[in-house]
Amino acid sequence: MKEHLIKQAISILEENFQEGGFTIPCKGLYPFQWKWDSGFIAIGQAHYDMEKAKTEIATLLDAQWQNGFIPHIIFHNESDTYFPGANVHRSDLSPLASKKYKSTGMTQPPVTGFVLDEMYRIAEDKEDILNYIATQIDNVYDNHAYFYTHRDVNNEGLVFIYHNWESGTDNSPIWDDIWKTMNPPDYTFERRDTTHVDASQRPTKREYDHYLNIIEIAKEYHYDDAKIAEHSPFLVLDPLFNAMLIKSNESLIHLYRLLGDTGKVVQLEKWQEKSIKGFNEKLWDDKLNAYVHYDLRKDAPIRFVTSSSFSALYGGIPNQERADLLIQTMMGKFGDEELYLCASFDPQSDRFDPKKYWRGPVWINMNWILYNGLKRYGFNDIAQRVKEDSIALIEKNGFFEYFNPIKKVGDTEKIGYGGNNFSWSAALLIDMLK
Ligand code: DGY
């Protein structure tokens, strides 16, 4: 069972674990706690040290704001290896921010609900884990209530993101046309990411100007969601983000039932029904046969196929007929035998770049979401291929952040990019192998 890989993965997670009770995504490049990273990391930790997994999530939820919001980065410590840090994000501008921790004023995909459910699945001592879940689950529920109260501007069960970093797919070509609608200043700042990673694998300076500009606008409004919804140049319905919320709703319903606490289930079921309906009505593209992003500023879909399009399977969102169409699209565009599954952006598009972060490379967290989604709908052979490709990429190249999907490039050079000894690659490999 690839014991050597599991051993290596555990030692990476142990190295990246910090005294404050959280795990950094990787040294230098990402020296704090990141929201969705922490979730995936806890799934890996749960296999060998459940107490650590519990701590990881409890630390994350300890940084929750008064309104239920969970920030994307929690700055537990000082570090000069990352830009933009706490003094740029200035969470203190929001009256609702945590008084205990400095953080960003943006969030990341809501994975925490299904992470608790995965911890339950993995735990041998079900009673013990349920006792733990009982201490945390209301915080996650409050986070969902925050999304449905403050981020569903059209009351359609779909929640917006206001920054590309909230999507998790930071520099996806999806955002290119939004950048064209903005004209940010040419800011002066010192990037740190490109001191750790080759610039060809990271976003451009001009992209960073856009990223910073949206933060400055949100700061002007003290991170008030209603004002952000009115004024942010970036306002998007993201299929990955909403699929994670839907999957987490389902998990919370499952866990509250197990806890014998059905008080919140009625509300969760209402949200869930509305979200699944909204997702299928608004994000499905009949010509592409895929789920796509939706630009709320332009009130128009963003018509590209990405690995986020397929995350709906994990959320149980499409019916079987639509799932079949989605898989035809996936295999038609991404499934060539000369490619590792699954590129993060349509390999047939002229915007595809196999080396540049979220513009094409394979990501292990997306593969894990896809693997579980494919199994849910009975696409077992393709699920197996996703799993085997993930293992092969890590075994041949190391525990990198992302990988070139083009197999033949890997014959002559290393095709692992970004941060090395990357925590979620390690954590999710453990889960896939176990
Ligand atoms: C980065 O700095 O690239 C991070 O991914 C933002 O979350």
Side-chain angles (χ1 to χ4, degrees):
M1 209 217 327
K2 309 264 183 202
E3 283 301 333
H4 66 290
L5 280 182
I6 293 180
K7 255 199 192 149
Q8 234 178 307
I10 292 174
S11 78
I12 288 168
L13 291 175
E14 292 292 287
E15 272 280 310
N16 288 344
F17 185 75
Q18 308 293 303
E19 260 176 31
F22 67 97
T23 308
I24 56 172
C26 85
K27 282 200 184 125
L29 187 60
Y30 306 121
F32 313 108
Q33 183 175 32
W34 260 258
K35 179 188 174 190
W36 76 326
D37 292 74
S38 259
F40 293 123
I41 287 164
I43 293 170
Q45 289 168 329
H47 284 283
Y48 70 94
D49 185 348
M50 187 58 88
E51 291 311 309
K52 215 163 240 168
K54 289 178 183 171
T55 303
E56 185 78 34
I57 297 303
T59 305
L60 176 75
L61 293 175
D62 195 34
Q64 187 164 32
W65 292 14
Q66 265 174 48
N67 56 349
F69 172 87
I70 303 173
H72 112 286
I73 304 175
I74 298 134
F75 299 106
H76 291 275
N77 44 291
E78 299 289 326
S79 172
D80 58 7
T81 70
Y82 182 80
F83 173 86
N87 57 347
V88 173
H89 286 282
R90 293 282 315 274
S91 55
D92 59 295
L93 290 172
S94 166
L96 304 171
S98 164
K99 304 284 179 280
K100 188 167 166 188
Y101 302 98
K102 291 179 186 169
S103 74
T104 60
M106 67 178 83
T107 189
Q108 260 182 336
V111 300
T112 323
F114 73 72
V115 169
L116 289 179
D117 209 8
E118 293 291 336
M119 286 166 66
Y120 174 78
R121 169 182 63 84
I122 295 161
E124 277 165 21
D125 187 342
K126 301 291 187 205
E127 196 184 324
D128 173 75
I129 194 71
L130 275 181
N131 285 337
Y132 166 80
I133 288 169
T135 66
Q136 306 295 325
I137 190 168
D138 286 347
N139 297 330
V140 184
Y141 176 90
D142 291 347
N143 185 234
H144 288 215
Y146 157 80
F147 282 124
Y148 286 109
T149 311
H150 298 292
R151 289 205 176 202
D152 179 6
V153 272
N154 293 326
N155 195 15
E156 59 195 343
L158 298 173
V159 306
F160 72 75
I161 54 170
Y162 82 83
H163 197 289
N164 54 299
W165 280 338
E166 291 200 314
S167 70
T169 60
D170 299 0
N171 69 336
S172 170
I174 292 287
W175 321 129
D176 291 2
D177 296 322
I178 299 178
W179 306 146
K180 288 183 197 150
T181 69
M182 294 170 61
N183 189 19
D186 180 8
Y187 293 109
T188 304
F189 55 88
E190 200 185 326
R191 273 183 67 178
R192 307 313 306 261
D193 57 323
T194 44
T195 65
H196 308 291
V197 171
D198 194 284
S200 65
Q201 300 165 19
R202 293 286 304 177
T204 63
K205 153 75 168 81
R206 195 60 186 146
E207 281 172 303
Y208 262 74
D209 285 336
H210 293 106
Y211 305 171
L212 294 175
N213 191 227
I214 309 172
I215 296 173
E216 290 309 321
I217 293 166
K219 278 158 69 176
E220 226 173 279
Y221 298 108
H222 295 183
Y223 293 116
D224 179 290
D225 286 296
K227 297 218 171 84
I228 286 173
E230 217 177 305
H231 299 286
S232 174
F234 185 114
L235 209 71
V236 169
L237 302 174
D238 181 318
L240 172 63
F241 198 98
N242 281 282
M244 297 302 94
L245 183 63
I246 288 169
K247 177 66 192 175
S248 284
N249 280 335
E250 178 183 80
S251 294
L252 293 183
I253 292 168
H254 174 233
L255 293 171
Y256 272 124
R257 289 220 171 99
L258 285 173
L259 290 166
D261 174 2
T262 48
K264 301 205 172 66
V265 169
V266 178
Q267 179 60 66
L268 281 161
E269 282 178 340
K270 277 193 198 143
W271 286 331
Q272 186 70 333
E273 198 188 325
K274 194 166 171 180
S275 287
I276 291 178
K277 186 163 174 278
F279 199 110
N280 275 310
E281 284 177 6
K282 192 143 180 175
L283 304 186
W284 180 255
D285 189 304
D286 260 331
K287 299 222 168 50
L288 290 171
N289 274 333
Y291 294 102
V292 297
H293 295 67
Y294 193 93
D295 185 338
L296 287 170
R297 275 289 156 260
K298 291 188 186 145
D299 203 9
I302 309 176
R303 304 190 58 248
F304 291 97
V305 185
T306 65
S307 55
S308 301
S309 303
F310 313 126
S311 62
L313 296 170
Y314 184 49
I317 295 163
N319 59 24
Q320 191 67 43
E321 192 189 338
R322 201 168 259 192
D324 289 340
L325 291 173
L326 191 59
I327 290 307
Q328 279 171 31
T329 304
M330 176 178 147
M331 294 315 277
K333 283 181 176 291
F334 298 64
D336 191 314
E337 286 291 340
E338 308 209 329
L339 297 174
Y340 288 106
L341 282 173
C342 177
S344 47
F345 191 74
D346 181 355
Q348 295 174 357
S349 162
D350 54 11
R351 294 188 181 187
F352 171 77
D353 180 337
K355 282 193 173 176
K356 215 172 180 55
Y357 205 38
W358 286 95
R359 301 184 72 88
V362 175
W363 287 76
I364 299 301
N365 68 325
M366 294 306 296
N367 271 11
W368 181 90
I369 289 167
L370 205 51
Y371 169 68
N372 285 293
L374 289 163
K375 282 201 305 185
R376 177 171 186 155
Y377 282 82
F379 300 111
N380 294 326
D381 294 346
I382 308 173
Q384 192 58 24
R385 190 174 146 198
V386 169
K387 176 174 158 172
E388 280 165 14
D389 284 359
S390 307
I391 298 167
L393 281 167
I394 290 175
E395 200 164 24
K396 284 190 193 150
N397 300 284
F399 286 84
F400 275 89
E401 188 182 1
Y402 43 97
F403 301 87
N404 193 321
I406 303 170
K407 284 185 182 165
K408 68 169 186 286
V409 178
D411 294 340
T412 51
E413 56 188 86
K414 284 272 179 215
I415 53 170
Y417 308 131
N420 193 1
N421 297 324
F422 196 75
S423 292
W424 80 32
S425 300
L428 297 175
L429 187 83
I430 297 174
D431 190 62
M432 283 196 268
L433 287 175
K434 296 244 180 190

